Amino acid sequence: MTTQPSTNSAQPSINNDVYNELGDRWYEADDDPVALLRAEARHRTPWVVERLAALGPAKDCRVLDIGCGGGFLSNALAESSFQVTGIDVSKSSLDVAKRFDTTQSVRYLEGDAYELPFAENSFDAACALDFLEHVDDPGRVIAEAARVLRPGGLFFFYTFNRTLLSRLLVIDFVERFVKNVPPNLHLHSMFIKPDEMRGMCRAAGLSVEELVGVRPEVFSTEFLHLLRSGRVKPSFRFQFTRSTAVAYLGFGRLG
């Protein structure tokens, strides 16, 4: 996951080092919060693919996945025939992403989200999912994403809202019930309110066209299994909701 170190010594630093240590657990662990990340990715990806389809044939659509981590989104988009580039500072995560790329078509690169190594108009779409809450300056990341987009290009985002409910569910609940949660996996102070997201997008020349809430299916048998065992079943599900109080997915258009 592409990250920058915190510069505020008065606040705890977010723990991004954990992503360097996962190895194949990115795809295989059920006793780790990364399993929730996999479930989120399964839920979000069809939504992203459906909106990318409006840009034209997948084979002609160039997509940048910023902070691609183990490649959940990149590899899924490649399986749908998109031209995908994934960028991250974690070499070990990129190695995993490459191994699990069934198409062997994704271009994976080490790189900094604050200074993307691409020219303007390089991509039809850029994505920053489960990422903006891990950097000190998300507005700068969004501005860089907009810089490399063609006019009319799409910027997809997914992050957590800074509310009491998100603190309880995303931080307190996960730390209590999911196995092997490292300290400071998320910091509530780094969560982003939707109005803040819209403002950062607007400053980068992006107009937010759609935004939808996301939360886990809390009354499912899979959720109850998690409560009892601390493990995440492969069938664990998330759902879309009108409320953005926990998390939200959306996209903006350039120009």
Side-chain angles (χ1 to χ4, degrees), residues 73-110:
L73 177 65
S74 293
N75 291 343
L77 291 179
E79 290 173 359
S80 294
S81 301
F82 292 95
Q83 298 181 40
V84 185
T85 298
I87 189 165
D88 206 293
V89 295
S90 173
K91 183 179 184 302
S92 60
S93 296
L94 292 171
D95 289 343
V96 173
K98 291 175 186 176
R99 287 203 305 276
F100 283 85
D101 174 16
T102 59
T103 70
Q104 290 299 295
S105 67
V106 181
R107 179 173 60 149
Y108 282 113
L109 302 173
E110 288 185 66

Side-chain angles (χ1 to χ4, degrees), residues 44-178:
R44 295 187 308 250
T45 299
W47 189 95
V48 174
V49 169
E50 182 178 343
R51 282 139 188 86
L52 286 173
L55 297 176
K59 64 182 179 63
D60 298 325
C61 187
R62 304 158 299 169
V63 183
L64 175 63
D65 185 7
I66 302 170
C68 63
F72 295 154
L73 177 65
S74 293
N75 291 343
L77 291 179
E79 290 173 359
S80 294
S81 301
F82 292 95
Q83 298 181 40
V84 185
T85 298
I87 189 165
D88 206 293
V89 295
S90 173
K91 183 179 184 302
S92 60
S93 296
L94 292 171
D95 289 343
V96 173
K98 291 175 186 176
R99 287 203 305 276
F100 283 85
D101 174 16
T102 59
T103 70
Q104 290 299 295
S105 67
V106 181
R107 179 173 60 149
Y108 282 113
L109 302 173
E110 288 185 66
D112 187 340
Y114 289 162
E115 297 180 358
L116 295 172
F118 310 109
E120 296 177 6
N121 303 317
S122 293
F123 296 95
D124 301 293
C127 307
L129 309 186
D130 280 306
F131 174 65
L132 295 172
E133 71 277 9
H134 287 269
V135 296
D136 288 334
D137 193 349
R140 184 176 170 188
V141 174
I142 294 170
E144 267 294 272
R147 181 185 64 80
V148 302
L149 285 176
R150 67 163 175 80
L154 305 183
F155 171 67
F156 291 89
F157 52 84
Y158 174 85
T159 192
F160 300 114
N161 197 349
R162 196 170 62 254
T163 63
L164 176 59
L165 183 58
S166 71
R167 179 195 291 273
L168 292 174
L169 191 58
V170 178
I171 297 178
D172 297 340
F173 174 86
V174 171
E175 289 179 351
R176 179 175 179 181
F177 290 103
V178 181

